[in-house]
Amino acid sequence: TPRQGTTARILLPQTASVTASPLAPARSPLPAGRRVLVADDDELVARSLERMLRGWGLEVQLARNGREAIQRYTAQQPRFDVVLLDLLMPELGGAEAFAILRRVDPEIKVWISSGNIPVELGQRLVASGARGLLHKPYDPEALRSALAETLGAG
């Protein structure tokens, strides 16, 4: 008949308080105010990276190529805490800029980034002092973890 239907009653067991589990892994802490030089010829990538790093409390300067990165690094006192160098840039690429920067400052902390880093070149760069390789597009958690390790924060 109309207006009649089935009534269902559901009884669920009572539980103790439920603790929500985090959806994202714990973030590596980054020391605020540390200074990062980002060298990338792709302005969209550089600006996006700048926003992300600033959001993490870091100070950021951008360079459009390896030559500009060297100029900014050598002009800055005190020096940058870490440098992110794109592998392929006009005028002077990341590998060449890294070699020059290592002569200027043997203690420099550099990460090399690219969408495609040939294995042999990557191994050579790490063997000559690069902290590691970051693949583009950037994975924010991998980047944050790399920076935390480099900056002694985790």
Side-chain angles (χ1 to χ4, degrees), residues 1 7 10 20 35 43 53 72 100 120 154:
T1 63
T7 301
I10 300 174
R35 298 154 21 128
E43 187 172 353
L53 296 174
R72 290 189 186 280
I100 294 168
E120 305 80 33

Side-chain angles (χ1 to χ4, degrees), residues 101-141:
L101 287 167
R102 287 282 294 171
R103 287 195 295 273
V104 169
D105 180 1
E107 302 299 315
I108 191 170
K109 296 174 182 173
V110 174
W111 284 86
I112 304 292
S113 66
S114 180
N116 183 19
I117 301 173
V119 175
E120 305 80 33
L121 177 58
Q123 290 171 341
R124 207 167 49 240
L125 290 166
V126 170
S128 62
R131 301 295 284 205
L133 311 172
L134 294 168
H135 296 278
K136 292 182 186 178
Y138 291 106
D139 171 354
E141 286 305 316

